[in-house]
């Protein structure tokens, strides 16, 4: 039998905690990026990007496990498709937010050295928005229930 059948509470508990911890790392990295300046040292940016990658690694797998564990095998394809669609919609919304912020702060100009300060302002605002959204995600992840659909219940 699969591990989740033998230890369902351990799997769910770990999944929730690990995914939430990963999302918390992502939050702190996004928060760091919301304070970027022209003098931010490159090594700090590189280390933050590495930690951001670790946060995504900690979040993605347990989150996928939690979602796929909550459906009966008959609906694995549907659950996977919904997760993929939600991920794509999230990416598109993020790009939309970024474009709107940049359009409002920079305007219709090319990003050239004379506009770098406005560019940094727009990235700070965008990362601030994404930090706030991520914090809501951390809270939602921490408070999610331990609901598990039993095989054959649907």
């Amino acid at each position: 039998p699969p591990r989740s059948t033998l230890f369902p509470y351990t799997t769910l508990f770990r999944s929730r905690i690990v995914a939430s911890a990963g999302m918390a790392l992502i939050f702190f990295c996004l928060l760091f990026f919301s304070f970027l300046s022209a003098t931010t040292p490159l090594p700090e940016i590189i280390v933050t990007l590495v930690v951001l990658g670790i946060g995504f690694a900690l979040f993605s797998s347990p989150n996928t496990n939690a979602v796929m564990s909550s459906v009966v095998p008959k609906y694995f394809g549907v659950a996977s498709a919904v997760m993929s669609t939600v991920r794509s919609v999230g990416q598109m919304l993020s790009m939309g937010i970024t474009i709107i912020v940049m359009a409002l702060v920079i305007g219709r100009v090319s990003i050239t050295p004379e506009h770098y300060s406005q560019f940094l302002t727009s990235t700070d605002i965008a990362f601030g928005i994404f930090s706030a959204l991520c914090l809501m995600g951390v809270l939602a992840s921490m408070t999610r229930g331990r609901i598990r659909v039993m095989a054959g219940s649907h």
Side-chain angles (χ1 to χ4, degrees):
R3 180 185 162 113
S4 62
T5 303
L6 296 174
F7 306 106
Y9 299 111
T10 304
T11 303
L12 279 175
F13 177 76
R14 285 186 183 159
S15 165
R16 181 171 59 98
I17 297 301
V18 173
S20 299
M23 198 152 197
L25 280 178
I26 295 168
F27 163 74
F28 286 115
C29 292
L30 293 175
L31 190 63
F32 170 82
F33 286 137
S34 71
F35 293 102
L36 285 177
S37 72
T39 60
T40 305
L42 187 58
E44 285 183 22
I45 294 171
I46 292 170
V47 168
T48 305
L49 286 171
V50 169
V51 174
L52 182 65
I54 292 168
F56 277 118
L58 289 172
F59 172 75
S60 295
S61 181
N63 191 58
T64 300
N65 179 43
V67 170
M68 296 306 285
S69 296
S70 70
V71 297
V72 294
K74 174 180 169 181
Y75 295 110
F76 279 171
V78 174
S80 178
V82 169
M83 280 184 16
S84 182
T85 301
V86 168
R87 192 175 297 119
S88 294
V89 169
Q91 290 169 352
M92 287 188 291
L93 288 173
S94 296
M95 288 305 300
I97 290 169
T98 301
I99 290 168
I100 289 170
V101 169
M102 290 184 129
L104 292 173
V105 174
I106 299 174
R108 297 187 72 169
V109 297
S110 296
I111 301 173
T112 56
E114 62 264 11
H115 297 110
Y116 283 172
S117 65
Q118 292 99 334
F119 176 74
L120 278 172
T121 299
S122 65
T123 58
D124 289 348
I125 292 169
F127 280 121
I129 292 168
F130 299 138
S131 296
L133 292 172
C134 190
L135 182 59
M136 288 188 273
V138 171
L139 298 174
S141 182
M142 285 300 297
T143 59
R144 74 177 175 202
R146 296 182 180 168
I147 299 171
R148 180 177 289 276
V149 175
M150 296 301 183
S153 63
H154 283 81

